[in-house]
Amino acid sequence: MTPLSTSPRGRVIGLVLIATFLYASAPPLLHLTASESNPFYFNSLITVMQVTIPGAFLLYSKNTYVNNRLSADQRLQLRRLRAHCTGLRRMRRSGSVERTVVVKELDRKDVLGWIKLPVVWALISSLHYGFLAWSVTILETAVATTIFELWPVFLVFTLARHEDSDRRFRLAPASTGHPRRAISKERIALTVLAGAGLALMLGSQAGDQIRSVADLVSHEAVVGMAIALVASLLAALSVLSSLAYGKTLYYALVDAPVAGRPGGFTSTSAKPIEQRGDADRRLLVWLTLLGYVLSRVVALPVNVLIGMLTPQVQGSMTTGAVLGALAMGTAASVAGILLRVGNIRSEDVAVNSLLCFGPAVSLLALMALGITLPRFDLFLVGAVLILTVNVMIQLRPQAGIRSR
């Protein structure tokens, strides 16, 4: 039996754990540097790093990851805007019980279709650190952090649905397809338990700020929690959207027929991209990070505009806030690359449950900075629950995966 640390799954776990610790550095940096800053100006500086670092990787690796895999015609197609305006669409064919999925270009008249494009999801979701910083101006940092850190739970379930759409697109039968990403009821229950652990952590530090039900339903607390929850949903969408973008762009370049595609098209191969060889996996990584970078390039002026239009969250950008934002952006950029590579190489989406360790690490760092936990017992129970759940998920990689 191959040791976990040297197996492909062990390497994936290592990538995701490193990403988790990097992501966990955000709340302490936020607490130290940005509590009085305009959150969207702060997020714009984070976005600068999210463009610079992955952008450098894209330029450095283009020859190996792209030019050695795509033909001249395919590289020309990559430079055309319409190739980026594609997405997976579920369609019900006449006489068919199961919905089929096709890759379809956006119809210019289809206004609703723009919302479904992965690149648009990526743009909107790139605002998540801005909403987190906003919630911190209303709530205690520890409370906002724990609500925000629910995003891995949302990510696991949304990725499972996306992977089901990918299977249908490839016309891979549910009984014989590759077992990647499928989640059994056992895995679902364990992931929900990880979310329960996060809820216990929320209770562990809510005591100072939320002392009664009246405090919980107060207007200020509700608004702050709602903003933190929006940040959490956008954080999950940020990962999902770039992974979906990479796959749909890959299909548009590699699997698309040469002739026109008015009704959309299905894959020429039932094999997952990850089984098509190293060149295909590298291309998928490159295209995924391309969506990550492009969305943040567009997000830069959007962040500044939102900052100008929200005077209620105005604040000065001190030198400390600038340095904190650049540090957060660096950590988030490296973590984003590692997490996306880990998902592309992973055996199933449940590997993302490792991200539930993030709030424990963040809260311990906040404690070191002087933030107290009124109910340390709840924090300890929640941390142990998350640890136990992850051990059960990660050390039994096949037990929770149903055969396809």
Side-chain angles (χ1 to χ4, degrees):
M1 181 176 179
T2 304
L4 185 63
S5 59
T6 59
S7 67
R9 181 175 178 81
R11 289 191 288 271
V12 167
I13 289 175
L15 290 175
V16 177
L17 279 176
I18 294 172
T20 299
F21 279 91
L22 288 172
Y23 279 130
S25 67
L29 286 171
L30 194 62
H31 177 71
L32 287 173
T33 64
S35 59
E36 302 298 330
S37 301
N38 184 298
F40 294 99
Y41 290 162
F42 188 81
N43 195 52
S44 66
L45 292 175
I46 294 174
T47 306
V48 168
M49 302 308 296
Q50 291 177 319
V51 170
T52 303
I53 295 177
F57 170 82
L58 292 178
L59 292 174
Y60 176 77
S61 62
K62 185 176 181 181
N63 185 60
T64 302
Y65 282 54
V66 179
N67 296 347
N68 291 342
R69 173 62 182 86
L70 297 181
S71 66
D73 288 341
Q74 289 171 326
R75 293 198 297 272
L76 179 62
Q77 178 69 10
L78 178 60
R79 292 194 289 270
R80 292 174 178 165
L81 179 61
R82 69 178 187 178
H84 302 264
C85 297
T86 56
L88 295 175
R89 298 289 187 89
R90 290 180 176 249
M91 304 178 68
R92 187 183 296 278
R93 293 180 179 175
S94 58
S96 175
V97 177
E98 187 179 58
R99 285 182 179 271
T100 59
V101 175
V102 299
V103 164
K104 188 176 182 180
E105 288 184 2
L106 177 70
D107 185 345
R108 293 180 181 178
K109 298 180 180 179
D110 183 9
V111 178
L112 185 60
W114 283 97
I115 303 175
K116 298 180 181 180
L117 290 180
V119 70
V120 175
W121 302 348
L123 167 61
I124 297 172
S125 62
S126 64
L127 303 173
H128 64 280
Y129 278 129
F131 280 92
L132 173 60
W134 189 0
S135 68
V136 168
T137 64
I138 302 172
L139 296 174
E140 192 71 41
T141 305
V143 178
T145 294
T146 308
I147 296 175
F148 174 73
E149 295 286 4
L150 288 169
W151 70 269
V153 179
F154 300 136
L155 176 62
V156 168
F157 290 102
T158 53
L159 270 178
R161 177 173 173 80
H162 169 68
E163 291 301 325
D164 179 66
S165 294
D166 177 69
R167 175 188 66 81
R168 292 170 188 261
F169 167 74
R170 291 182 284 105
L171 303 179
S175 58
T176 60
H178 188 55
R180 294 175 59 90
R181 318 287 184 133
I183 302 181
S184 68
K185 292 180 180 179
E186 178 187 0
R187 287 282 177 102
I188 291 174
L190 290 173
T191 305
V192 170
L193 281 176
L198 292 176
L200 288 172
M201 287 187 179
L202 172 61
S204 72
Q205 11 70 35
D208 281 350
Q209 190 166 351
I210 303 175
R211 294 174 294 274
S212 66
V213 176
D215 290 334
L216 184 63
V217 297
S218 69
H219 178 266
E220 185 177 6
V222 169
V223 169
M225 290 180 179
I227 294 173
L229 184 60
V230 168
S232 180
L233 292 169
L234 291 179
L237 188 59
S238 176
V239 180
L240 171 67
S241 59
S242 57
L243 290 171
Y245 172 92
K247 280 197 172 182
T248 54
L249 184 53
Y250 173 96
Y251 290 135
L253 296 172
V254 177
D255 283 7
V258 177
R261 320 162 258 180
F265 63 93
T266 54
S267 177
T268 56
S269 172
K271 277 189 176 182
I273 300 171
E274 297 84 0
Q275 283 191 331
R276 299 183 187 183
D278 290 339
D280 290 274
R281 284 193 293 271
R282 286 194 292 266
L283 175 61
L284 180 58
V285 168
W286 198 93
L287 296 175
T288 298
L289 293 177
L290 177 64
Y292 180 85
V293 171
L294 289 180
S295 65
R296 274 131 181 100
V297 169
V298 179
L300 279 171
V302 173
N303 275 286
V304 175
L305 180 62
I306 294 177
M308 294 172 61
L309 297 178
T310 51
Q312 68 274 21
V313 293
Q314 289 289 354
S316 59
M317 287 298 294
T318 63
T319 301
V322 171
L323 293 176
L326 295 178
M328 276 184 64
T330 300
S333 299
V334 177
I337 294 173
L338 295 178
L339 180 60
R340 284 157 180 82
V341 171
N343 269 276
I344 289 172
R345 295 174 57 182
S346 66
E347 297 178 1
D348 60 277
V349 299
V351 72
N352 292 289
S353 66
L354 290 165
L355 293 164
C356 291
F357 285 121
V361 177
S362 296
L363 292 174
L364 287 173
L366 289 171
M367 287 175 62
L369 296 175
I371 292 181
T372 59
L373 300 183
R375 292 295 305 274
F376 185 78
D377 55 338
L378 293 182
F379 170 82
L380 189 61
V381 172
V384 170
L385 181 58
I386 291 173
L387 175 63
T388 303
V389 164
N390 270 289
V391 169
M392 294 176 67
I393 290 177
Q394 307 308 330
L395 295 185
R396 299 175 59 193
Q398 300 301 326
I401 304 177
R402 63 173 181 270
S403 176
R404 283 192 176 186

